[in-house]
C-alpha cells in the first residue's frame, strides 16, 4: 500500500525554480464547464518551452482511472520519463470553487485531469505546494491510451511478457516438412565419412521417421498407436475470438508422455495435420504465470508464423485460456511478416502496455528491433530431434530458467519502483525542478541480453531446422515446399543451483562460454553484489556493451557507477564480459577504499590483509559470537556491536545491525573523528577477500550514515 501524501501546504506564487519565468493566463474548462483561470509556466525557455495547449485554453476531457496505490506522477514518470511540459496554478485567490474541487478530487483519489491533443494525452497532476490552498498542477504528456493500461498493471505489480512460438516453446511439422528433413539428412549421410556423425544422423532420422509415422496414422485414421496402445482423437472446441467466428471442433490427440500433440489446423482438410512437440517445463512456466490466481504478467505472443497456425499453437499451449482470454486473443497474438523485424511497439499497438514494462522470451535476438533487444531473454533453440536429451540434461530446464529470469525481472523492477521511485515522488512538491524526478525502472535494467546461438566448432555439424516458421507454415499447410535458411547450433543452458535460489533473488543464470563450446550457467555473485551496492547507495549501476568487428568476435562490457567508469571486462559472450567487468569493478572499489584508508588504518582493529577464512577483513569470526570494534586513541578497543546466533553469519548480521545503531546514535567525538574521513569516499567497500554479503551491507550502510551525518552538520 502506498504511503499517503501530506495534504498540500504552499510557495511563492509562480512556477517555482523548475519553470521558466513569465506565466501565461489561460481559461480552464472541464468539458464545457468553466473552472476558472490558471497561470501556466513552461518548464523550458525558448522554442522548447512552448505551451502544449491549443488555442491558449485548457479543456479537460475526462479524469484518469483511480489509482489504488500509485500516485499519477509515479505512473507518468515510469511510462514517459521527464515528460513534464509545464506547470500551472490558479490565478485568483481564493480559487474558483470548481477548480478547487477538481484539484482535491485529483489529489485525494490519485487521478489526473486529461486534456486530449491529437494522439497525445496531457495529464494535469495535482501537486502539493508550499503555498497554502493553491490548486497547482504539473502537466505531463504521454501517448494516448497508455496511461489507462499502465495504471492497472502498476497497481497489481504486473509486467508484460511476450513469447515467440517456433523453436522457443514448440516444434511443429507436417508430413511434407518431415519428408524434407529426412531427405536432407540422408543426403548428408551419403557424403559423410565420420562414423560418429553418421551414427548421430541415423538416430536423428529414426526419430523423424517415428513421429512421421504417427502423423500419417493420424491423417489416415484419426488414431495413433503409441507403444501398442491405440489412442483416438478428442474433439476440442476452439473458443471464438473477438469478431464472432463460428464454433469449430478440432480433432486432437495429446500424448503427454511424449510431450507431443497432433492437431488439424483445418478440421475439414486432413493434409493440414500437424505434429507438435511442446518444450519440456512449459507447465512450470505457465503455472508461475497463473499461480494462485494472481496475475504476475500480461501475456502476448509475437511470431512470424501464419495466423491460423499461430492461434492453434497457442491454444495447445494455453487450452483453458488462462494466460490470454478469448476476447483478448485477436490483439494479443501478433503475427509479423517473415523477414520483418519484431517490435514491441507493434506488439502493443492496442496500447495495452509500455515497452519498458515488457520482457521477451525468444530463441533469436536479431529478429527484434535493436531498441527492444535489451528486453529479450534469449533461450537456446528447442531441438528435440537433433538433441532430444539436451533439455533434461540441464540441472534446471530452459523454461525453468526463463521462469526464474521472469521472477527476478519482476522483483527487481518493482523493488526499484517501490523503494526509490514511489518514495521520492511522495517527497516532490510543485516547486521542485524537472531534474528532481527520480530514475524510473526499465525491464532492460534487469536482463543481460545475449543471443545463445553460436557458430559450431570444427567437430560439430549444424542441425537442420526442426520446425516450421514464418511463411513456411502457410506453404506447408497448402502442400508446397518452402526452403528456409539454416539456424546455427543452439547452445545448452545450465544452472548450478536449483531454481528455488533464483526465485529468492539470484538472477536466472549467466552464460559463460568456454573454448570447448559448452555453456555453464551460474548465478553471478559479482553482478548481484554490484547492483546491491548501487541500490543501497541510491546510485545507478550501468553495464554498457559493445561487440568487436574483428575476426574473433568478442564482447566488451563497461561498468558505470553514477556515470563514472569503474570496471571493464572482455569475453566471448556478453554474460562472460559482464561478470568479468563486475568483478573488476568490485576490486577497484576495494582498492580505492583501502588506499584512502591507509593513513587511518589503525581505526579498525582487524587486519584487512588476513587470508580468506579468518573473517571478511573487518568482522571477527569467533565461533558463535561476533564483535565489531574500533580502537580508541588510548589503544583500548571499544565494542560497537555484538551478535550471538546459531551460526556465524547470523551472529555477524546481528553484530553489524547493532554496530550501525551505535554509530547512528553515538555522540562520542573520538569515534566521529575517526569515522569522518570516510565521508569523502566516492564508493562503498565490498571486501572481496571473502565475498560475504555481510561486509557489503555493513560498509555500504556505514557510508550512508556518514553522508547523512555530513548533511546534518
Amino acid at each position: 500500500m502506498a504511503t499517503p501524501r501530506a495534504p498540500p501546504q504552499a510557495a511563492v506564487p509562480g512556477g517555482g525554480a523548475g519553470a521558466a519565468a513569465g506565466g501565461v493566463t489561460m481559461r480552464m474548462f472541464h468539458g464545457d464547464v468553466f473552472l476558472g483561470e490558471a497561470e501556466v509556466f513552461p518548464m523550458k525557455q525558448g522554442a522548447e518551452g512552448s505551451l502544449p495547449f491549443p488555442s491558449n485554453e485548457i479543456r479537460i476531457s475526462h479524469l484518469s482511472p483511480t489509482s489504488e496505490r500509485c500516485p499519477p506522477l509515479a505512473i507518468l514518470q515510469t511510462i514517459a520519463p521527464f515528460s513534464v511540459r509545464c506547470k500551472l496554478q490558479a490565478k485568483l485567490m481564493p480559487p474558483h470553487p470548481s477548480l478547487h474541487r477538481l484539484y482535491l478530487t485529483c489529489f485525494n483519489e490519485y487521478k489526473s485531469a486529461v486534456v486530449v491533443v491529437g494522439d497525445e494525452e496531457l495529464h494535469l497532476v495535482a501537486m502539493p505546494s508550499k503555498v497554502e490552498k493553491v490548486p497547482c498542477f504539473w502537466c505531463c504528456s504521454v501517448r494516448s491510451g497508455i496511461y489507462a493500461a499502465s495504471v492497472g498493471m502498476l497497481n497489481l505489480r504486473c509486467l508484460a511478457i511476450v513469447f515467440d512460438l517456433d523453436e522457443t516453446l514448440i516444434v511443429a511439422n507436417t508430413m511434407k516438412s518431415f519428408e524434407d528433413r529426412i531427405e536432407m539428412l540422408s543426403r548428408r549421410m551419403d557424403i559423410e565419412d565420420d562414423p560418429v556423425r553418421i551414427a548421430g544422423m541415423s538416430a536423428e532420422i529414426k526419430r523423424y521417421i517415428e513421429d512421421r509415422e504417427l502423423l500419417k496414422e493420424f491423417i489416415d485414421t484419426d488414431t495413433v498407436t503409441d507403444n501398442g496402445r491405440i489412442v483416438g482423437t478428442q474433439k476440442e472446441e476452439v473458443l471464438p475470438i473477438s469478431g464472432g467466428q463460428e464454433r469449430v471442433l478440432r480433432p486432437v490427440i495429446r500424448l503427454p508422455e511424449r510431450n507431443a500433440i497432433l492437431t488439424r489446423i483445418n478440421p475439414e482438410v486432413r493434409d493440414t495435420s500437424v505434429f507438435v512437440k511442446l518444450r519440456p517445463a512449459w507447465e512450470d512456466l505457465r503455472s508461475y504465470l497463473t499461480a494462485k490466481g494472481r496475475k504476475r504478467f500480461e501475456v502476448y505472443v509475437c511470431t512470424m508464423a501464419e495466423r491460423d497456425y499461430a492461434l492453434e499453437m497457442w491454444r495447445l499451449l494455453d487450452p483453458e485460456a488462462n494466460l490470454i482470454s478469448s476476447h483478448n486473443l485477436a490483439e494479443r497474438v501478433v503475427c509479423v511478416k517473415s523477414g520483418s523485424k519484431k517490435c514491441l511497439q507493434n506488439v502493443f499497438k492496442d496500447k495495452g502496455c509500455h515497452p519498458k514494462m515488457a520482457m521477451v522470451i525468444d530463441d533469436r535476438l536479431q529478429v527484434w528491433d535493436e531498441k527492444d533487444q535489451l528486453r529479450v531473454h534469449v533461450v537456446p533453440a528447442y531441438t528435440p530431434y537433433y538433441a532430444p536429451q539436451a533439455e533434461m540434461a540441464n540441472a534446471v530446464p530452459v523454461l525453468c530458467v526463463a521462469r526464474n529470469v521472469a521472477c527476478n525481472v519482476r522483483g527487481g523492477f518493482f523493488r526499484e519502483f517501490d523503494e526509490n521511485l514511489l518514495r521520492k515522488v511522495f517527497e516532490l512538491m510543485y516547486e521542485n525542478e524537472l531534474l528532481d524526478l527520480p530514475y524510473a525502472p526499465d525491464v532492460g535494467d534487469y536482463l543481460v541480453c545475449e543471443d545463445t546461438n553460436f557458430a559450431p566448432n570444427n567437430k560439430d555439424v549444424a542441425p537442420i531446422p526442426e520446425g516450421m516458421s514464418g511463411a513456411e507454415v502457410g506453404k506447408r499447410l497448402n502442400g508446397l515446399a518452402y526452403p528456409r535458411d539454416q539456424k546455427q547450433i543452439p547452445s545448452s543452458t545450465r544452472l548450478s543451483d536449483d531454481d528455488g535460489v533464483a526465485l529468492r533473488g539470484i538472477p536466472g543464470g549467466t552464460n559463460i562460454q568456454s573454448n570447448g563450446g559448452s555453456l555453464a550457467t551460474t548465478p553471478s555473485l559479482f553482478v548481484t553484489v554490484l547492483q546491491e551496492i548501487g541500490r543501497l547507495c541510491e546510485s545507478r549501476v550501468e553495464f554498457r556493451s559493445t561487440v568487436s568487428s574483428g575476426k574473433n568476435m568478442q564482447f566488451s562490457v563497461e561498468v558505470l557507477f553514477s556515470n563514472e567508469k569503474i570496471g571493464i571486462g572482455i569475453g566471448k559472450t556478453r554474460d562472460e564480459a559482464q561478470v568479468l567487468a563486475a568483478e573488476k569493478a568490485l576490486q577497484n572499489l576495494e582498492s580505492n577504499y583501502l588506499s584512502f584508508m591507509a593513513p587511518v588504518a589503525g581505526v579498525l582493529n582487524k587486519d584487512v590483509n588476513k587470508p580468506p577464512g579468518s573473517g571478511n577483513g573487518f568482522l571477527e569470526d569467533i565461533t558463535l559470537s561476533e564483535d565489531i570494534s574500533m580502537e580508541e586513541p588510548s589503544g583500548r578497543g571499544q565494542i560497537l556491536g555484538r551478535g550471538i546466533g546459531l551460526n556465524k553469519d547470523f551472529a555477524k548480521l546481528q553484530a553489524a545491525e547493532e554496530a550501525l545503531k551505535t554509530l547512528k546514535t553515538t555522540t562520542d567525538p573520538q569515534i566521529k573523528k575517526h569515522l569522518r574521513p570516510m565521508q569523502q569516499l566516492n564508493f562503498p567497500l565490498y571486501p572481496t577477500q571473502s565475498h560475504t554479503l555481510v561486509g557489503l551491507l555493513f560498509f555500504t550502510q556505514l557510508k550512508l550514515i556518514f553522508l547523512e551525518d555530513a548533511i546534518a552538520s
Side-chain angles (χ1 to χ4, degrees), residues 477-489:
L477 296 178
N478 289 318
L480 301 174
Y482 184 83
R484 58 178 288 205
D485 295 333
Q486 295 180 5
K487 287 190 176 183
Q488 295 175 312
I489 289 183

Side-chain angles (χ1 to χ4, degrees), residues 463-530:
I464 62 174
E466 300 208 349
M468 305 176 294
S469 64
E472 181 186 15
V473 173
K475 301 277 188 180
R476 295 290 190 196
L477 296 178
N478 289 318
L480 301 174
Y482 184 83
R484 58 178 288 205
D485 295 333
Q486 295 180 5
K487 287 190 176 183
Q488 295 175 312
I489 289 183
S491 64
S492 61
T493 306
R494 181 182 177 88
L495 272 180
S496 64
D497 210 339
D498 59 60
D499 55 321
V501 172
L503 292 174
R504 290 194 296 270
I506 302 299
T510 304
N511 299 332
I512 303 177
Q513 184 177 340
S514 65
N515 293 333
S518 63
L519 294 180
T521 306
T522 57
S524 169
L525 175 65
F526 302 119
V527 174
T528 303
V529 165
L530 199 57

Side-chain angles (χ1 to χ4, degrees), residues 541-596:
V541 177
E542 296 180 83
F543 294 90
R544 294 184 180 174
S545 63
T546 58
V547 182
S548 67
S549 56
K551 185 175 295 185
N552 297 323
M553 187 179 73
Q554 286 191 314
F555 294 89
S556 174
V557 173
E558 295 179 347
V559 181
L560 301 181
F561 189 98
S562 295
N563 294 320
E564 182 170 348
K565 185 166 72 174
I566 61 170
I568 187 169
I570 298 175
K572 295 182 180 179
T573 68
R574 284 190 181 89
D575 282 351
E576 181 181 8
Q578 186 193 40
V579 170
L580 295 173
E583 182 178 13
K584 186 65 176 177
L586 290 171
Q587 292 170 353
N588 289 337
L589 296 185
E590 180 192 21
S591 176
N592 177 283
Y593 173 82
L594 293 177
S595 62
F596 185 87

Side-chain angles (χ1 to χ4, degrees), residues 543-703:
F543 294 90
R544 294 184 180 174
S545 63
T546 58
V547 182
S548 67
S549 56
K551 185 175 295 185
N552 297 323
M553 187 179 73
Q554 286 191 314
F555 294 89
S556 174
V557 173
E558 295 179 347
V559 181
L560 301 181
F561 189 98
S562 295
N563 294 320
E564 182 170 348
K565 185 166 72 174
I566 61 170
I568 187 169
I570 298 175
K572 295 182 180 179
T573 68
R574 284 190 181 89
D575 282 351
E576 181 181 8
Q578 186 193 40
V579 170
L580 295 173
E583 182 178 13
K584 186 65 176 177
L586 290 171
Q587 292 170 353
N588 289 337
L589 296 185
E590 180 192 21
S591 176
N592 177 283
Y593 173 82
L594 293 177
S595 62
F596 185 87
M597 286 300 294
V600 288
V603 170
L604 299 166
N605 72 350
K606 178 69 179 165
D607 181 7
V608 298
N609 294 316
K610 283 193 177 182
S614 61
N616 65 4
F618 295 95
L619 302 180
E620 200 66 53
D621 287 339
I622 308 174
T623 60
L624 298 181
S625 66
E626 293 293 333
D627 292 342
I628 298 175
S629 60
M630 162 176 275
E631 185 177 316
E632 295 182 342
S634 63
R636 292 182 295 109
Q638 177 176 343
I639 301 297
L640 299 179
R642 173 166 293 166
I644 300 174
L646 297 176
N647 56 57
K648 293 179 182 179
D649 287 339
F650 188 79
K652 287 178 182 178
L653 287 171
Q654 276 198 336
E657 184 177 357
E658 185 177 323
L660 290 172
K661 291 178 181 177
T662 302
L663 290 169
K664 256 183 179 175
T665 58
T666 186
T667 57
D668 189 329
Q670 292 300 326
I671 294 179
K672 285 186 173 290
K673 175 183 176 182
H674 288 294
L675 292 178
R676 196 169 299 280
M678 294 177 68
Q679 295 172 9
Q680 303 172 36
L681 288 180
N682 293 324
F683 306 108
L685 166 71
Y686 178 71
T688 54
Q689 293 96 328
S690 66
H691 300 158
T692 62
L693 193 58
V694 175
L696 160 70
L697 295 174
F698 181 66
F699 285 98
T700 303
Q701 292 287 356
L702 282 184
K703 177 175 184 286

Side-chain angles (χ1 to χ4, degrees), residues 323-336:
L323 299 182
I324 303 179
S325 65
S326 58
H327 70 272
N328 284 332
L329 201 57
E331 294 76 29
R332 295 287 183 93
V333 177
V334 179
C335 296
V336 178

